[in-house]
């Protein structure tokens, strides 16, 4: 079991640039979650998918953020245009069943710095 | 909106000591509660998941209890080891939403 794989591990870019974060969930898992972690706000849910369908995106901060899951093995989180306040660690997690009734497995995160 | 508080924010103990981490939440109508561990530079690792109908869950040296009516959960770590050093977060789930506490940073000294 390879675990949840996120790329890149680190991203440094200038404000205004488009940023794309990628996630490969564990094979066979039906739910996928995107989180953001900062010192000030802690860990926040941005969006989650059940069976590739977005269920709750109320945590997405602004229209600059978008997420897609074109198939069961891949998801992206895009920020366009990026701003310095988007700097954070972004985590992707997956779980076997829909919703929150099963343990979530986290990737190691993408540390994003917007200059 | 669910508010989650974890006390203490940081804890330092000598190796071998038994310890308790506390988690409180404001909305007791939860479906379950998870305890996670986070190592520096890493994602979260799920340790225990307690369903709302359960009072406790055990895994090795870890025991998590849940008192839903009072909005509290505790994580008990027996015979602590330096490898237990990490940040521990609790996360109750309700209303299609899971909220995380800020965590307790645990240091176990050899």
């Amino acid at each position: 079991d390879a675990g949840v794989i996120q790329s890149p591990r680190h991203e440094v870019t200038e404000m205004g640039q488009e940023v794309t974060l990628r996630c490969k969930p564990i094979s066979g898992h039906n739910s996928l979650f995107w989180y953001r972690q900062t010192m000030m706000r802690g860990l926040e849910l941005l969006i989650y998918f059940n069976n590739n369908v977005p269920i709750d995106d109320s945590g997405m901060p602004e229209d600059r953020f978008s997420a897609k899951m074109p198939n069961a093995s891949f998801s992206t989180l895009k920020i366009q245009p990026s701003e310095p306040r988007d700097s954070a660690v972004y985590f992707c997690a997956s779980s076997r069943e829909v919703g929150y009734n099963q343990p979530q497995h986290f990737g190691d995160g993408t540390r994003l710095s917007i200059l | 909106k669910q508010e989650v508080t974890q006390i203490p924010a940081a804890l330092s103990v000598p190796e071998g000591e038994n310890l308790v981490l506390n988690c409180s939440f404001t909305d007791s109508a939860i479906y379950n509660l998870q305890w996670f561990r986070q190592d520096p530079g890493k994602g979260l690792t799920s340790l225990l998941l307690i369903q709302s109908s359960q009072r406790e869950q055990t895994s090795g040296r870890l025991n998590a209890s849940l008192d839903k009516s009072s909005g509290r959960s505790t994580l008990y770590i027996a015979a602590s080891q330096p490898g237990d050093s990490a940040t521990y977060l609790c996360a109750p789930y309700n209303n299609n939403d899971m909220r995380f506490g800020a965590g307790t940073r645990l240091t176990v000294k050899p």
Side-chain angles (χ1 to χ4, degrees):
Chain A
D1 192 340
V4 175
I5 300 172
Q6 291 187 246
S7 64
R9 285 300 313 277
H10 304 274
E11 173 95 10
V12 180
T13 192
E14 294 185 348
M15 67 177 293
Q17 296 297 308
E18 178 178 291
V19 174
T20 300
L21 310 181
R22 297 173 176 80
C23 175
K24 176 178 169 56
I26 293 173
S27 177
H29 281 195
N30 295 313
S31 290
L32 183 140
F33 307 80
W34 281 101
Y35 293 94
R36 178 172 67 176
Q37 187 175 39
T38 62
M39 288 293 293
M40 290 295 294
R41 299 175 67 91
L43 198 63
E44 302 173 285
L45 176 70
L46 300 176
I47 185 171
Y48 85 90
F49 296 82
N50 282 347
N51 296 319
N52 311 339
V53 176
I55 301 299
D56 182 4
D57 65 354
S58 59
M60 296 286 262
E62 299 170 32
D63 290 344
R64 298 184 296 106
F65 286 69
S66 63
K68 294 182 180 179
M69 192 164 185
N71 56 61
S73 59
F74 184 66
S75 177
T76 59
L77 178 68
K78 187 172 293 187
I79 308 172
Q80 167 62 21
S82 57
E83 297 182 3
R85 59 193 169 118
D86 302 331
S87 299
V89 181
Y90 290 80
F91 289 104
C92 175
S94 69
S95 66
R96 190 176 303 278
E97 294 181 8
V98 297
Y100 293 88
N101 215 32
Q102 290 289 322
Q104 294 184 18
H105 299 259
F106 279 69
D108 285 340
T110 294
R111 185 174 295 275
L112 178 63
S113 297
I114 308 297
L115 306 177
Chain B
K1 176 184 166 183
Q2 180 78 279
E3 300 288 337
V4 184
T5 303
Q6 290 191 242
I7 295 174
L11 182 64
S12 181
V13 300
E15 181 177 5
E17 199 162 290
N18 302 325
L19 56 100
V20 175
L21 309 181
N22 297 292
C23 170
S24 61
F25 44 95
T26 54
D27 186 347
S28 61
I30 64 171
Y31 293 104
N32 61 48
L33 182 144
Q34 288 192 60
W35 280 94
F36 292 88
R37 167 187 175 139
Q38 186 173 27
D39 294 282
K42 296 288 188 179
L44 279 65
T45 300
S46 181
L47 298 173
L48 292 163
L49 185 153
I50 314 177
Q51 301 292 351
S52 62
S53 58
Q54 297 175 316
R55 298 285 292 184
E56 64 178 71
Q57 278 281 349
T58 298
S59 176
R61 295 182 294 107
L62 304 180
N63 176 277
S65 68
L66 175 63
D67 184 345
K68 207 175 79 160
S69 60
S70 67
R72 293 179 183 177
S73 178
T74 61
L75 179 67
Y76 175 81
I77 303 176
S80 58
Q81 303 171 357
D84 295 331
S85 298
T87 297
Y88 291 81
L89 298 93
C90 70
Y93 163 51
N94 64 340
N95 296 329
N96 230 22
D97 187 25
M98 188 162 77
R99 297 277 168 171
F100 289 82
T104 294
R105 185 183 303 172
L106 173 65
T107 302
V108 181
K109 300 177 181 178

